[in-house]
Amino acid sequence: MNKKGRVFSGARPTGRQHLGNYLGAIRNYIALQEEYHCVYCIVDLHALTTLDQFGELRANTAEMVLDWLAAGIRPEETIVFVQSHVPQVTELHTILSMFTPLGKLTDLPTFKEKARMHPHNINYGLVGYPVLMTADIALYKSDVVPVGIDQESHLEFAREVVRSFNYRVGKAVLIEPQMKTTDYPKVLGTDGQQKMSKSLDNHIEMALTAEETVRRVMTMVTDPQRTHRNIPGRPEVCNVFTLHHTFTPAAEVDEIERDCRSAALGCVDCKRRLAQGINQHLAPFRERRAALASNPQHVWDVLSDGATRARRIADETMREVREAIGLP
Ligand code: TRP
């Protein structure tokens, strides 16, 4: 099949992936493999900008890649690699930084937010975060970048830097990437309020056992107005119901909605059914994951092969970039 172009996405090594990662990013990564040449990168250098525990990087990388592979990322066709294994990205980062107005970086809402969250560590790397991201995208000649809506300003920034670079060297050396936002709505955590995230501890990991999943799902907050078993629920405001849409067969979802509204179905049973749906959906994933994990060397072999293939693209781009700006 003729693929359309190259997709690139980066994700920080956050360890075991949760349902928010799965529905918001991983499923999309998997689907894009049908139409595009895909490059998926674990951005360990980006992670360093806000990391306190350097010792976690290796294990978090391996756990994340295990989840990706078990979920259906196919490393025979897709390049899966670790950002720092191809150091050309740091060279391009330096070069692109000369094409980046400083004020633009410090004005970005993402920078301001991070500076607010890490007031004790507003480092130089944090300011340059979007430049390094631009270098990722540009180095691998990416046409399309699938990201969440929170990355929109970074993508727009990357497009501007690429434009400015191409304009200054008088040649379309780098590709202006298209953004592809995921259409899945924001996945809320077990608190039913905030986006699912590991740091908020409101997440449900894909690789939990079936029993652990039940326990975790039972902690989910449902419609806050449903303070008693006999009070009818409002599925439209209930995060449990939202997840039923994804994990429970469509025919049953209608019935759950009706029975929630009439209070025939209580939240406890509703959650039990959700856990069952999640477990059924993820059973093949968990089986594949266990098989892959039985050989701890496997993910590192995949990543080493990915880095070799990524380096080939990177070398080619850097040759063109160096020539375009006349580096001797
Ligand atoms: N900035 C992204 C995030 O925080 C991660 C990232 C780094 C990325 N490089 C990228 C995403 C390149 C897309 C393309 O989630």
Side-chain angles (χ1 to χ4, degrees):
M1 163 173 172
N2 265 343
K3 298 201 180 182
K4 283 189 207 160
R6 188 173 289 136
V7 156
F8 181 97
S9 195
R12 292 154 166 259
T14 50
R16 294 192 173 203
Q17 301 291 281
H18 54 63
L19 297 184
N21 303 129
Y22 176 56
L23 302 173
I26 300 173
R27 277 206 322 187
N28 198 28
Y29 285 3
I30 295 166
L32 286 166
Q33 296 177 118
E34 305 304 326
E35 282 181 62
Y36 295 91
H37 298 284
C38 296
V39 181
Y40 297 135
C41 179
I42 293 100
V43 292
D44 56 344
L45 296 172
H46 277 106
L48 289 181
T49 58
T50 55
L51 200 72
D52 304 316
Q53 301 293 334
F54 297 126
E56 292 171 359
L57 274 174
R58 250 188 96 78
N60 278 349
T61 298
E63 295 287 349
M64 181 155 114
V65 173
L66 273 177
D67 282 339
W68 283 8
L69 300 180
I73 305 282
R74 300 187 290 269
E76 310 78 35
E77 43 191 292
T78 293
I79 298 179
V80 183
F81 77 109
V82 174
Q83 186 182 32
S84 71
H85 291 180
V86 186
Q88 284 86 336
V89 76
T90 60
E91 184 185 359
L92 187 56
H93 167 260
T94 300
I95 292 172
L96 292 181
S97 73
M98 320 306 173
F99 297 82
T100 304
L102 181 59
K104 230 179 207 136
L105 289 173
T106 48
D107 276 350
L108 281 170
T110 43
F111 170 71
K112 289 185 181 157
E113 168 70 7
K114 282 196 181 131
R116 206 175 51 75
M117 280 169 62
H118 305 270
H120 54 287
N121 185 15
I122 306 177
N123 59 69
Y124 177 57
L126 201 57
V127 183
Y129 188 105
V131 188
L132 183 56
M133 177 164 163
T134 305
D136 280 329
I137 296 168
L139 184 61
Y140 300 103
K141 296 264 175 86
S142 321
D143 304 290
V144 176
V145 180
V147 283
I149 196 78
D150 59 317
Q151 293 293 316
E152 195 171 10
S153 62
H154 287 167
L155 238 289
E156 198 39 58
F157 171 88
R159 291 163 55 86
E160 281 173 31
V161 172
V162 164
R163 270 202 299 272
S164 154
F165 178 90
N166 286 345
Y167 178 75
R168 292 268 302 277
V169 302
K171 202 169 147 197
V173 177
L174 302 178
I175 295 175
E176 210 178 302
Q178 298 299 315
M179 169 165 174
K180 199 180 178 86
T181 39
T182 33
D183 43 14
Y184 201 86
K186 182 155 93 178
V187 182
L188 300 181
T190 49
D191 53 20
Q193 298 285 330
Q194 287 172 283
K195 185 173 162 182
M196 187 177 285
S197 103
K198 193 170 171 172
S199 56
L200 295 172
D201 194 23
N202 65 0
H203 61 307
I204 301 171
E205 285 175 2
M206 301 170 72
L208 294 180
T209 63
E211 298 73 40
E212 287 166 339
T213 305
V214 173
R215 247 180 280 141
R216 199 70 179 160
V217 169
M218 293 323 274
T219 69
M220 285 181 76
V221 174
T222 55
D223 176 359
Q225 275 184 27
R226 208 173 174 197
T227 48
H228 188 273
R229 170 68 183 80
N230 298 330
I231 299 176
R234 298 170 301 165
E236 65 278 8
V237 302
C238 182
N239 188 32
V240 173
F241 185 69
T242 308
L243 290 180
H244 269 301
H245 269 299
T246 303
F247 293 107
T248 304
E252 289 177 47
V253 175
D254 291 344
E255 170 203 321
I256 288 169
E257 174 165 14
R258 205 181 47 235
D259 292 352
C260 170
R261 280 191 206 288
S262 70
L265 178 69
C267 292
V268 171
D269 287 329
C270 181
K271 289 196 267 190
R272 220 169 254 137
R273 286 180 70 170
L274 175 62
Q276 206 175 47
I278 294 173
N279 284 334
Q280 249 163 34
H281 185 96
L282 291 179
F285 159 85
R286 288 168 179 170
E287 214 169 287
R288 280 195 298 272
R289 194 187 199 281
L292 289 165
S294 69
N295 174 6
Q297 186 53 37
H298 179 68
V299 285
W300 299 108
D301 291 343
V302 165
L303 291 171
S304 155
D305 175 62
T308 304
R309 287 149 67 199
R311 216 170 287 125
R312 261 180 237 137
I313 308 172
D315 280 334
E316 174 69 16
T317 307
M318 286 318 294
R319 204 183 45 71
E320 293 166 17
V321 165
R322 291 165 139 272
E323 188 187 297
I325 53 179
L327 288 178

